[in-house]
Amino acid sequence: MDKKKELFTCRDVLWYMVFCGFAVNYVLRINLNLTIVAMVLPYPKPAAIVQCNLEDNTMPWMNETAQDSNVSFPITTPSSENVTYEDRFAWNEYQQGLALGAYYWLHWLSQLPGGLLARRYGTKLVFGLGNFLTALLGFFIPYVTHLYSLIMLRVLQGLIAGVMWPSMHDMTAKWIPPNERSRFVSAYLGSSVGVAITYPLCAAVSSSFGWGASFHVTSFLGVIWYFFWHFFVYDSPQQHPRISDEEKKYIVDNISGSVDDQQKEIPWKAIFRSGPVWVTIAAHWSGAWGFLTLLAQAPSYFNFVHGWNINATGLLAGAPHILRMIFSYFFSMMSDWLLRTNRMSLTNVRKLATFVCTGIQGLLIIALGFSGCQPLLAVVFMMIGITVNGAVSASSLANFVDLSPNYASVLFGFCGMVIIWSGFISPVIVGILTNNNQTVEQWRLVFLIAAANSLAGCIIYMMFGTSKEQPWNQYTRLNPKEREMQKLAPEALKCENNTENMSDIEKSKFIEER
């Protein structure tokens, strides 16, 4: 296919729609995390005990007055002299934690069904409704008057949105040739941009129009996106009415033989027993643990240990996520270039990306843990640690499609059910280690545990990882006799390999006996 004939292909349109879709997904996910600051009554609290005694404690990122240790968002609480709190709730920290965590209570439950539903009904419907229905529920949040009503809405939002990430892999397998998958999967990291824009967006809307308006605005974005998604996106090139014949032929020729249009029986037993699948899950777990630690715990670390006032640096809070997306895009382009020019094999490209997003990230987390009382070094290590995680788009995210294009959505759904637990376990460990003990040493243990997870997954994947298409991807195409021959193939190959060390006479006898 001559790419000069088309400046803007249907695959390009799909990339932008997927990018915006994941951005909206995260905007709807974390809008409450920010807006809850304006929803609850402010509680006066003593300033955090700062262990590091810095000579210059008037730096702009330092705390000078008492502030809420659990709040690290760029929203300034107005003075009580000029503001009434008739629209605020008297929720304590435990109740706020219930509201914030409710999104994830059933989020894991819909991961695997999301992949299965995409195989049956198509990603266009499943992914689109995942955002659309979540947005519609968001419109009701400003009208709830009871904590448990809010919790119910958030649980429903999390359950519905859980289908989105695994469902997208089914569309990726049908639309994107292998040598373009790294770049395309970078669109998944639109989620990072969603995180970055939610900080200033919800802060500005809440302060200008009240906290309820922030849910209306973010939900409206979800609805607008859905209408564009419904018009521009189709489940496969064959269904797209506006795709050129050249682009359709290019896609079909490059993915033929690995993707079937017909629904096939899912080889559950083969998937659960597949070593490459579990190795890829281990790599994804390690990257997720490290990233979630930096994303969720670093602000508390700066607040308690360094007395860092993130309210004065709202832009800095979102900068790492913008950098992560930019790094992901260019690293993915480099990965696809390495494949197109045959400079590296597909497996080695995935291993390189895994080393960057887990190995280098682990080393940076260790550096963060040992940065001690140097807040500027800590900020640098945190930002770079989040940035290099962008290589995940060319690593485990893409590797599920490589292993089995036909069952990629199922694999990622299964992976999601496992990975989501890292988001539960990590905060528990942080709470146990730092409860009433906010010291440099305890936080160093937090970061060392995260680094150990990152490095362990890196080592496992570097040793055992592969991107070769698995035999069971085509398993149901075969008749029973061919399936039996496929099972016997490894033994036959082993026998043939043994003959390489025989003499010519021994080989002749071996062949005659067979």
mmCIF file of all heavy atoms in Angstrom, residues 31-54:
data_model
loop_
_atom_site.group_PDB
_atom_site.id
_atom_site.type_symbol
_atom_site.label_atom_id
_atom_site.label_comp_id
_atom_site.label_asym_id
_atom_site.label_seq_id
_atom_site.Cartn_x
_atom_site.Cartn_y
_atom_site.Cartn_z
ATOM 1 N N ASN A 31 -12.873 12.154 38.365
ATOM 2 C CA ASN A 31 -13.449 13.478 38.642
ATOM 3 C C ASN A 31 -13.874 13.614 40.103
ATOM 4 O O ASN A 31 -13.725 14.683 40.704
ATOM 5 C CB ASN A 31 -14.610 13.779 37.693
ATOM 6 C CG ASN A 31 -15.685 12.718 37.704
ATOM 7 O OD1 ASN A 31 -15.663 11.781 38.502
ATOM 8 N ND2 ASN A 31 -16.657 12.846 36.805
ATOM 9 N N LEU A 32 -14.372 12.541 40.708
ATOM 10 C CA LEU A 32 -14.780 12.612 42.113
ATOM 11 C C LEU A 32 -13.567 12.790 43.027
ATOM 12 O O LEU A 32 -13.648 13.491 44.036
ATOM 13 C CB LEU A 32 -15.552 11.350 42.504
ATOM 14 C CG LEU A 32 -16.009 11.281 43.963
ATOM 15 C CD1 LEU A 32 -17.011 12.397 44.264
ATOM 16 C CD2 LEU A 32 -16.616 9.933 44.295
ATOM 17 N N ASN A 33 -12.443 12.171 42.687
ATOM 18 C CA ASN A 33 -11.248 12.289 43.513
ATOM 19 C C ASN A 33 -10.868 13.751 43.731
ATOM 20 O O ASN A 33 -10.347 14.125 44.781
ATOM 21 C CB ASN A 33 -10.076 11.558 42.861
ATOM 22 C CG ASN A 33 -10.328 10.079 42.705
ATOM 23 O OD1 ASN A 33 -11.434 9.660 42.369
ATOM 24 N ND2 ASN A 33 -9.315 9.274 42.929
ATOM 25 N N LEU A 34 -11.130 14.566 42.740
ATOM 26 C CA LEU A 34 -10.778 15.970 42.837
ATOM 27 C C LEU A 34 -11.924 16.806 43.405
ATOM 28 O O LEU A 34 -11.731 17.673 44.251
ATOM 29 C CB LEU A 34 -10.398 16.497 41.448
ATOM 30 C CG LEU A 34 -9.284 15.722 40.737
ATOM 31 C CD1 LEU A 34 -9.176 16.172 39.298
ATOM 32 C CD2 LEU A 34 -7.963 15.896 41.453
ATOM 33 N N THR A 35 -13.127 16.520 42.927
ATOM 34 C CA THR A 35 -14.267 17.354 43.289
ATOM 35 C C THR A 35 -14.726 17.127 44.717
ATOM 36 O O THR A 35 -15.367 17.997 45.309
ATOM 37 C CB THR A 35 -15.436 17.081 42.311
ATOM 38 O OG1 THR A 35 -14.957 17.154 40.973
ATOM 39 C CG2 THR A 35 -16.552 18.096 42.501
ATOM 40 N N ILE A 36 -14.397 15.979 45.299
ATOM 41 C CA ILE A 36 -14.844 15.710 46.667
ATOM 42 C C ILE A 36 -14.276 16.720 47.653
ATOM 43 O O ILE A 36 -14.847 16.952 48.722
ATOM 44 C CB ILE A 36 -14.464 14.267 47.089
ATOM 45 C CG1 ILE A 36 -15.297 13.832 48.295
ATOM 46 C CG2 ILE A 36 -12.964 14.155 47.360
ATOM 47 C CD1 ILE A 36 -15.164 12.369 48.634
ATOM 48 N N VAL A 37 -13.161 17.363 47.283
ATOM 49 C CA VAL A 37 -12.596 18.415 48.138
ATOM 50 C C VAL A 37 -13.600 19.547 48.325
ATOM 51 O O VAL A 37 -13.707 20.126 49.412
ATOM 52 C CB VAL A 37 -11.288 18.953 47.519
ATOM 53 C CG1 VAL A 37 -10.721 20.090 48.364
ATOM 54 C CG2 VAL A 37 -10.279 17.836 47.368
ATOM 55 N N ALA A 38 -14.353 19.860 47.269
ATOM 56 C CA ALA A 38 -15.331 20.937 47.344
ATOM 57 C C ALA A 38 -16.700 20.443 47.799
ATOM 58 O O ALA A 38 -17.603 21.251 48.021
ATOM 59 C CB ALA A 38 -15.479 21.617 45.980
ATOM 60 N N MET A 39 -16.861 19.114 47.946
ATOM 61 C CA MET A 39 -18.152 18.559 48.336
ATOM 62 C C MET A 39 -18.300 18.427 49.855
ATOM 63 O O MET A 39 -19.412 18.403 50.364
ATOM 64 C CB MET A 39 -18.345 17.178 47.696
ATOM 65 C CG MET A 39 -18.478 17.193 46.189
ATOM 66 S SD MET A 39 -18.536 15.526 45.470
ATOM 67 C CE MET A 39 -20.032 14.878 46.222
ATOM 68 N N VAL A 40 -17.183 18.309 50.560
ATOM 69 C CA VAL A 40 -17.241 18.054 52.001
ATOM 70 C C VAL A 40 -16.865 19.296 52.778
ATOM 71 O O VAL A 40 -16.182 20.199 52.274
ATOM 72 C CB VAL A 40 -16.314 16.885 52.386
ATOM 73 C CG1 VAL A 40 -16.720 15.614 51.674
ATOM 74 C CG2 VAL A 40 -14.861 17.227 52.084
ATOM 75 N N LEU A 41 -17.314 19.326 54.034
ATOM 76 C CA LEU A 41 -16.958 20.439 54.914
ATOM 77 C C LEU A 41 -15.468 20.403 55.201
ATOM 78 O O LEU A 41 -14.908 19.334 55.449
ATOM 79 C CB LEU A 41 -17.741 20.345 56.232
ATOM 80 C CG LEU A 41 -19.254 20.557 56.144
ATOM 81 C CD1 LEU A 41 -19.900 20.217 57.483
ATOM 82 C CD2 LEU A 41 -19.571 21.992 55.744
ATOM 83 N N PRO A 42 -14.803 21.558 55.166
ATOM 84 C CA PRO A 42 -13.368 21.569 55.473
ATOM 85 C C PRO A 42 -13.121 21.311 56.947
ATOM 86 O O PRO A 42 -13.814 21.844 57.809
ATOM 87 C CB PRO A 42 -12.950 22.986 55.059
ATOM 88 C CG PRO A 42 -14.190 23.802 55.199
ATOM 89 C CD PRO A 42 -15.335 22.892 54.847
ATOM 90 N N TYR A 43 -12.134 20.483 57.222
ATOM 91 C CA TYR A 43 -11.779 20.167 58.598
ATOM 92 C C TYR A 43 -10.394 20.748 58.901
ATOM 93 O O TYR A 43 -9.438 20.460 58.186
ATOM 94 C CB TYR A 43 -11.730 18.646 58.824
ATOM 95 C CG TYR A 43 -13.081 17.996 58.788
ATOM 96 C CD1 TYR A 43 -13.572 17.439 57.608
ATOM 97 C CD2 TYR A 43 -13.874 17.939 59.923
ATOM 98 C CE1 TYR A 43 -14.818 16.841 57.568
ATOM 99 C CE2 TYR A 43 -15.115 17.332 59.890
ATOM 100 C CZ TYR A 43 -15.586 16.784 58.714
ATOM 101 O OH TYR A 43 -16.820 16.192 58.670
ATOM 102 N N PRO A 44 -10.304 21.572 59.935
ATOM 103 C CA PRO A 44 -8.983 22.083 60.301
ATOM 104 C C PRO A 44 -8.119 20.954 60.847
ATOM 105 O O PRO A 44 -8.550 20.191 61.697
ATOM 106 C CB PRO A 44 -9.289 23.126 61.382
ATOM 107 C CG PRO A 44 -10.590 22.685 61.966
ATOM 108 C CD PRO A 44 -11.364 22.051 60.854
ATOM 109 N N LYS A 45 -6.896 20.859 60.334
ATOM 110 C CA LYS A 45 -6.001 19.797 60.775
ATOM 111 C C LYS A 45 -4.614 20.365 61.013
ATOM 112 O O LYS A 45 -4.213 21.331 60.373
ATOM 113 C CB LYS A 45 -5.918 18.692 59.720
ATOM 114 C CG LYS A 45 -7.189 17.885 59.609
ATOM 115 C CD LYS A 45 -6.933 16.619 58.845
ATOM 116 C CE LYS A 45 -8.162 15.724 58.928
ATOM 117 N NZ LYS A 45 -7.934 14.439 58.280
ATOM 118 N N PRO A 46 -3.874 19.774 61.923
ATOM 119 C CA PRO A 46 -2.503 20.231 62.140
ATOM 120 C C PRO A 46 -1.628 19.919 60.938
ATOM 121 O O PRO A 46 -1.893 18.992 60.186
ATOM 122 C CB PRO A 46 -2.050 19.426 63.361
ATOM 123 C CG PRO A 46 -2.901 18.204 63.330
ATOM 124 C CD PRO A 46 -4.229 18.647 62.782
ATOM 125 N N ALA A 47 -0.596 20.702 60.776
ATOM 126 C CA ALA A 47 0.330 20.468 59.674
ATOM 127 C C ALA A 47 1.040 19.140 59.853
ATOM 128 O O ALA A 47 1.259 18.679 60.964
ATOM 129 C CB ALA A 47 1.357 21.600 59.600
ATOM 130 N N ALA A 48 1.396 18.514 58.736
ATOM 131 C CA ALA A 48 2.105 17.238 58.788
ATOM 132 C C ALA A 48 3.481 17.438 59.402
ATOM 133 O O ALA A 48 4.132 18.455 59.201
ATOM 134 C CB ALA A 48 2.239 16.675 57.376
ATOM 135 N N ILE A 49 3.910 16.459 60.186
ATOM 136 C CA ILE A 49 5.226 16.524 60.797
ATOM 137 C C ILE A 49 6.277 16.275 59.727
ATOM 138 O O ILE A 49 6.297 15.226 59.096
ATOM 139 C CB ILE A 49 5.353 15.483 61.926
ATOM 140 C CG1 ILE A 49 4.312 15.758 63.001
ATOM 141 C CG2 ILE A 49 6.761 15.482 62.500
ATOM 142 C CD1 ILE A 49 4.297 14.707 64.091
ATOM 143 N N VAL A 50 7.127 17.240 59.501
ATOM 144 C CA VAL A 50 8.137 17.141 58.465
ATOM 145 C C VAL A 50 9.435 16.649 59.078
ATOM 146 O O VAL A 50 10.013 17.302 59.942
ATOM 147 C CB VAL A 50 8.341 18.500 57.769
ATOM 148 C CG1 VAL A 50 9.397 18.368 56.684
ATOM 149 C CG2 VAL A 50 7.045 19.004 57.199
ATOM 150 N N GLN A 51 9.857 15.475 58.659
ATOM 151 C CA GLN A 51 11.068 14.899 59.216
ATOM 152 C C GLN A 51 12.311 15.609 58.718
ATOM 153 O O GLN A 51 13.285 15.772 59.440
ATOM 154 C CB GLN A 51 11.167 13.415 58.864
ATOM 155 C CG GLN A 51 12.395 12.735 59.474
ATOM 156 C CD GLN A 51 12.476 11.273 59.103
ATOM 157 O OE1 GLN A 51 11.677 10.808 58.295
ATOM 158 N NE2 GLN A 51 13.416 10.556 59.667
ATOM 159 N N CYS A 52 12.297 15.987 57.454
ATOM 160 C CA CYS A 52 13.466 16.629 56.874
ATOM 161 C C CYS A 52 13.513 18.092 57.279
ATOM 162 O O CYS A 52 12.621 18.871 56.920
ATOM 163 C CB CYS A 52 13.434 16.499 55.349
ATOM 164 S SG CYS A 52 13.504 14.798 54.778
ATOM 165 N N ASN A 53 14.508 18.494 58.024
ATOM 166 C CA ASN A 53 14.659 19.870 58.457
ATOM 167 C C ASN A 53 15.497 20.621 57.434
ATOM 168 O O ASN A 53 16.725 20.637 57.501
ATOM 169 C CB ASN A 53 15.341 19.916 59.833
ATOM 170 C CG ASN A 53 14.484 19.269 60.899
ATOM 171 O OD1 ASN A 53 13.273 19.477 60.927
ATOM 172 N ND2 ASN A 53 15.109 18.495 61.778
ATOM 173 N N LEU A 54 14.835 21.211 56.465
ATOM 174 C CA LEU A 54 15.529 21.938 55.418
ATOM 175 C C LEU A 54 15.793 23.362 55.881
ATOM 176 O O LEU A 54 14.975 23.980 56.574
ATOM 177 C CB LEU A 54 14.701 21.952 54.128
ATOM 178 C CG LEU A 54 14.382 20.570 53.547
ATOM 179 C CD1 LEU A 54 13.549 20.742 52.298
ATOM 180 C CD2 LEU A 54 15.639 19.800 53.247
#
